[in-house]
Amino acid sequence: MYLLEMAPKFLLAIFILLIYVKLSGKSQIAPMSQLDQVGSMVIGALVGGALLSPTVSPWEASGLVAIWAGLLVLIRFIKSKNSRLRDTIDGKPIQLVKNGHLITDNFIKANLPVRDFETLVNIQGIPSFGDLKEVWYELNGSLTLIKKGDKDIAVLIIENGAISQDNLKQLNKDEDWVKREITKQGYEKIEDIFCAEWFDNKLIIYPYDAVREGNK
């Protein structure tokens, strides 16, 4: 009898979770931000608590899960459209090594002991700090690194039709420079560009599909 009473709750909760996973996209499988991790744990707690509580109806249980999942999807959507807001919510990668020099203050900021840093570096096949040129501590706890002698990694200048001001500042460039560069390649507006990266001293542009088709 108890199992029969619980069955509607299970079915509705699974249905809502399937919708949430679908709307969240495959990025949920990849390393998540702190907000994503906490949000997913809260969803698990809501589902578990609502399913086991005899005083919560199937619709109430589903409603709780749906509201929280909807808020997470909304926040993720807003972050995808506004890089500044995303940086405010999730934070930004912390540079630990610049031009071969360890930025000691940033180790404290990242709350990363140097011994743990050494372990992460060794895991990637780097035997010594002396082999490092640039290193960033990512939001998910992983390292992005460039060894001495390697090419610098690409820097994202335009994202979802908007300029990444922090990355632009990193290159000591301004918006007028970006506009001149995209004009040289036949594009009129920054809003027409899905993303653009600066790599090997050139700007590589990836326009939206509609713009690409129109330029053919």
Side-chain angles (χ1 to χ4, degrees):
M1 186 67 180
Y2 175 75
L3 292 178
L4 290 176
E5 291 177 353
M6 296 294 292
K9 287 186 179 182
F10 278 107
L11 292 174
L12 286 172
I14 289 174
F15 178 71
I16 292 174
L17 287 175
L18 287 174
I19 294 176
Y20 169 67
V21 171
K22 182 69 175 179
L23 293 176
S24 297
K26 294 181 180 179
S27 62
Q28 282 296 89
I29 301 175
M32 297 184 292
S33 69
Q34 292 178 343
L35 179 63
D36 290 332
Q37 293 178 32
V38 173
S40 297
M41 286 190 291
V42 171
I43 284 182
L46 286 174
V47 171
L51 289 178
L52 296 177
S53 175
T55 60
V56 179
S57 70
W59 293 110
E60 289 173 333
S62 302
L64 290 172
V65 177
I67 291 172
W68 185 255
L71 287 173
L72 292 178
V73 171
L74 177 61
I75 292 173
R76 192 172 293 112
F77 174 77
I78 294 173
K79 289 194 301 180
S80 70
K81 299 299 181 181
N82 191 314
S83 59
R84 286 185 177 275
L85 182 60
R86 183 184 63 245
D87 290 343
T88 300
I89 294 174
D90 292 338
K92 295 184 291 186
I94 300 173
Q95 188 165 15
L96 300 177
V97 179
K98 184 175 183 179
N99 295 326
H101 299 288
L102 273 65
I103 307 175
T104 56
D105 288 344
N106 282 358
F107 279 81
I108 299 173
K109 183 179 178 181
N111 194 27
L112 179 66
V114 69
R115 179 171 294 185
D116 292 346
F117 175 68
E118 182 183 43
T119 300
L120 292 172
V121 167
N122 292 158
I123 288 174
Q124 298 200 40
I126 309 298
S128 168
F129 295 160
D131 293 330
L132 299 172
K133 178 182 177 183
E134 311 280 345
V135 179
W136 289 266
Y137 188 55
E138 302 293 347
L139 302 177
N140 56 37
S142 65
L143 295 181
T144 297
L145 55 84
I146 304 172
K147 296 186 295 183
K148 291 179 178 178
D150 290 347
K151 286 185 176 181
D152 290 338
I153 61 175
V155 178
L156 202 60
I157 299 299
I158 299 175
E159 182 180 0
N160 295 321
I163 294 175
S164 176
Q165 297 294 340
D166 289 336
N167 289 348
L168 193 62
K169 186 184 298 183
Q170 178 183 329
L171 297 175
N172 295 317
K173 307 289 187 182
D174 56 25
E175 291 191 21
D176 290 336
W177 171 82
V178 177
K179 292 175 182 177
R180 289 194 299 271
E181 289 294 321
I182 67 171
T183 300
K184 289 179 184 177
Q185 299 190 39
Y187 298 98
E188 297 180 0
K189 298 182 296 183
I190 293 173
E191 291 79 8
D192 292 337
I193 299 171
F194 175 63
C195 67
E197 57 181 9
W198 181 253
F199 180 68
D200 202 17
N201 290 320
K202 57 186 175 183
L203 189 68
I204 305 172
I205 294 176
Y206 305 91
Y208 282 102
D209 290 336
V211 177
R212 184 187 297 112
E213 293 297 327
N215 287 346
K216 285 184 178 180

